[in-house]
Amino acid sequence: MIAIESSILNQIEKIVGSKYLITKSDLLYNYSKDCTSNKEVVPSAVVLPKNTQEISDIITLCNETKTSVTVRGGGTGVSGGALSNHKGIILSLERLNNIIEINKVDRIAIVESGVITQDLRDAVLKEGLNFPQNISSASSCFIGGNVAVASGSPKSLKYGTTKNYVVNLEVVLPDGSIIWTGKNVSKNATGYNLTQLITGSEGTLGIITKVVLKLVPPMKELVFMVPFTNINNLFKCVKHFFEKGYSASSIEFIDAVGFRLASQFLDNTFHTTSDVQGVLWIELEGEYPEKLMDRAIEIGEFVNLYTKEEVHIADTPTEVKKLWEMRSKVGEAVINHTFFRDVDIVVPRSKVDQMYEAIVIIANKYNFDYTVFGHIGDGNFHVNIFQRKQQTIEEWENNIAIWVKEIFLKALELGGTISGEHGIGKTNLPYIEDAIPTNQLKVMNDIKKLFDVNQIINQ
């Protein structure tokens, strides 16, 4: 761990107060990890500013002294983006947690970036509106982090990812200056779209301090849970669903291993007559219950062509939540099972069966244990590769680099890419040159240098 000059820490302490500058090792440990398995970096110092101006003052100082800064949200990422690089401070956004305004006429919410995403969703629902991203880690992730990595969710099939709902951002640039990237309007054809440039940039271009989000009316939901004993029929069902012109707000998937782990974790096996090889969740939305039920009857008849297992249906909020539970808890079930690496790949929806087949072949080739689950409706798979107990961390790291690269290369071959919603962070950075052409990377590096001359933020 590299110590920061005491004079710099003294100046930061004057900005935030001694209570909000952490330098004691036992407290620093709380900021040494995100949700990336087996990754732990104890930072030199952590600072907890309370507002945009304090962040501006801190970043101005860090820029002048060339002190590096790692921005941290809720710490729920799985790509190592919130881990310190040892050379500077971690700047935590946890105190920027105010919901400033929910505007029912303009249908926008203005919030600070440290607001917990579920708190935001609950607040807008009370006003009769909805932020339509049911992100798995919503109970602990921050909305600023969701914007920074353009998080997706099961509802991304219908609504797209978080970036589709970002209207405007307040950002502290690496020189300490404060800008708004746009206006709080639904149309804006004035100048470059800085809002979307910052969205998904993983904190490399500036620190998001306030977020303006578009809201939509809430919809009635109906969910099918569909077990399959034949995995090929599952993929045929998904392809034919779209070929026939059906639509859904979510189509989610877990494989046999994920089904078993989630069942054990919840002590709830959803009795089936045979060996389940995969499960689909198909969620429909609508304004009118009668029309929604008519669609459900038609789609229920359709899915019964591909499976003989009992199809579970839920149409009340309580039942819907219960039916989603297995899918929503599979991540926790994996964490409870072992250390793992989450490989977040996305391919065209038409290629999901080829990608899944390739994952099975690669796993058999290298003899590793895994589960596959995710957002099959938009081609986004999460391959969780398990660490075996007899492996050392060094053996694990060496092996995983080879396995992950082969999965990434297959996704790229199929027209996909190496992250659909978790971002690049530090974990996926070694593979970035495989995913992005050299001339395109140069443009990105030039943008980074323009924003961050001294290269101090999220290096």
Side-chain angles (χ1 to χ4, degrees):
M1 186 163 59
I2 298 174
I4 305 171
E5 290 183 18
S6 58
S7 61
I8 296 172
L9 293 179
N10 289 338
Q11 291 179 75
I12 291 174
E13 185 176 341
K14 289 178 182 178
I15 296 169
V16 299
S18 59
K19 181 179 178 180
Y20 299 109
L21 176 63
I22 299 172
T23 55
K24 293 182 179 179
S25 57
D26 56 334
L27 297 177
L28 289 174
Y29 185 76
N30 296 329
Y31 297 85
S32 67
K33 297 183 287 186
D34 59 6
C35 289
T36 309
S37 279
N38 276 343
K39 295 292 184 182
E40 186 177 297
V41 184
V42 179
S44 299
V46 176
V47 59
L48 288 70
K50 69 177 180 180
N51 55 41
T52 302
Q53 188 57 56
E54 286 190 355
I55 292 174
S56 174
D57 293 342
I58 293 164
I59 296 304
T60 299
L61 171 64
C62 290
N63 190 54
E64 290 171 352
T65 58
K66 295 183 173 58
T67 302
S68 66
V69 178
T70 300
V71 186
R72 182 180 176 93
T76 60
V78 293
S79 59
L83 300 182
S84 170
N85 63 6
H86 286 309
K87 299 176 183 177
I89 64 170
I90 279 185
L91 190 149
S92 173
L93 298 172
E94 62 198 81
R95 296 178 67 206
L96 279 74
N97 57 5
N98 294 304
I99 296 174
I100 298 167
E101 180 184 0
I102 298 172
N103 187 316
K104 296 177 69 172
V105 175
D106 293 326
R107 290 186 176 175
I108 59 171
I110 305 173
V111 301
E112 291 183 323
S113 56
V115 169
I116 292 173
T117 305
Q118 190 60 53
D119 291 347
L120 166 66
R121 296 196 77 219
D122 292 344
V124 299
L125 281 170
K126 286 180 181 178
E127 299 297 327
L129 293 168
N130 186 29
F131 172 58
Q133 293 293 329
N134 55 339
I135 296 165
S136 299
S137 58
S139 62
S140 51
C141 64
F142 294 175
I143 189 62
N146 299 152
V147 173
V149 298
S151 296
S153 74
K155 286 188 182 292
S156 293
L157 174 58
K158 176 178 179 179
Y159 294 100
T161 62
T162 300
K163 67 182 179 182
N164 296 77
Y165 288 81
V166 181
V167 176
N168 195 3
L169 298 169
E170 183 187 66
V171 179
V172 177
L173 297 179
D175 65 357
S177 58
I178 303 168
I179 67 166
W180 282 94
T181 57
K183 296 287 186 179
N184 299 348
V185 294
S186 58
K187 294 180 178 179
N188 188 346
T190 310
Y192 294 136
N193 193 336
L194 297 179
T195 303
Q196 288 300 310
L197 179 62
I198 297 293
T199 300
S201 66
E202 300 186 49
T204 60
L205 303 181
I207 301 170
I208 298 167
T209 50
K210 293 187 181 72
V211 181
V212 182
L213 294 165
K214 179 173 63 175
L215 305 175
V216 297
M219 295 284 176
K220 179 175 173 55
E221 300 169 341
L222 184 148
V223 177
F224 295 87
M225 178 179 162
V226 190
F228 292 81
T229 56
N230 184 312
I231 199 70
N232 292 324
N233 282 349
L234 183 151
F235 287 105
K236 286 179 183 176
C237 180
V238 172
K239 280 193 172 183
H240 295 165
F241 181 93
F242 290 101
E243 285 176 349
K244 287 185 173 293
Y246 294 135
S247 61
S249 50
S250 305
I251 302 183
E252 296 289 296
F253 162 74
I254 59 174
D255 67 0
V257 174
F259 176 78
R260 187 182 71 248
L261 288 175
S263 293
Q264 292 171 350
F265 183 72
L266 294 169
D267 193 26
N268 180 2
T269 56
F270 279 96
H271 301 294
T272 58
T273 58
S274 307
D275 183 26
V276 171
Q277 296 301 303
V279 182
L280 287 181
W281 284 261
I282 302 173
E283 180 189 78
L284 310 179
E285 285 187 348
E287 293 184 64
Y288 307 106
E290 301 82 7
K291 291 184 178 180
L292 190 59
M293 189 55 67
D294 289 343
R295 286 171 56 206
I297 292 170
E298 184 178 358
I299 289 175
E301 292 173 350
F302 166 79
V303 297
N304 279 325
L305 299 174
Y306 299 88
T307 182
K308 300 302 181 185
E309 294 297 300
E310 180 184 359
V311 176
H312 303 269
I313 304 174
D315 67 348
T316 69
T318 301
E319 291 172 344
V320 166
K321 183 178 181 180
K322 180 66 176 176
L323 209 56
W324 269 122
E325 188 175 31
M326 181 177 289
R327 169 62 188 93
S328 65
K329 294 295 183 181
V330 67
E332 291 180 44
V334 172
I335 292 171
N336 187 63
H337 176 62
T338 186
F339 288 122
F340 66 97
R341 169 71 184 276
D342 188 321
V343 184
D344 166 43
I345 50 171
V346 60
V347 296
R349 185 163 57 211
S350 58
K351 305 289 182 63
V352 290
D353 53 342
Q354 295 177 55
M355 188 68 239
Y356 182 80
E357 182 180 2
I359 292 165
V360 173
I361 291 170
I362 294 166
N364 290 337
K365 175 181 175 181
Y366 293 109
N367 191 30
F368 61 75
D369 300 324
Y370 68 99
T371 182
V372 182
F373 59 91
H375 320 301
I376 193 172
D378 53 30
N380 185 194
F381 279 151
H382 299 297
V383 188
N384 284 188
I385 303 175
F386 304 149
Q387 180 180 355
R388 290 176 176 166
K389 292 181 180 179
Q390 64 269 27
Q391 287 180 310
T392 66
I393 292 178
E394 186 177 2
E395 289 172 335
W396 163 252
E397 292 291 349
N398 291 336
N399 288 337
I400 202 75
I402 297 168
W403 305 341
V404 169
K405 181 156 186 171
E406 195 151 335
I407 294 171
F408 279 164
L409 290 176
K410 186 61 182 182
L412 293 166
E413 178 189 322
L414 293 174
T417 192
I418 67 174
S419 179
E421 60 182 10
H422 289 165
I424 299 302
K426 294 179 176 64
T427 304
N428 293 327
L429 199 56
Y431 310 99
I432 195 72
E433 292 183 1
D434 295 316
I436 301 177
T438 302
N439 58 349
Q440 189 176 340
L441 270 177
K442 182 181 183 304
V443 172
M444 293 181 180
N445 284 325
D446 288 346
I447 292 170
K448 167 66 172 172
K449 291 173 184 175
L450 179 64
F451 275 77
D452 189 4
V453 175
N454 290 321
Q455 303 286 284
I456 65 164
I457 293 186
N458 282 28
Q459 285 295 98

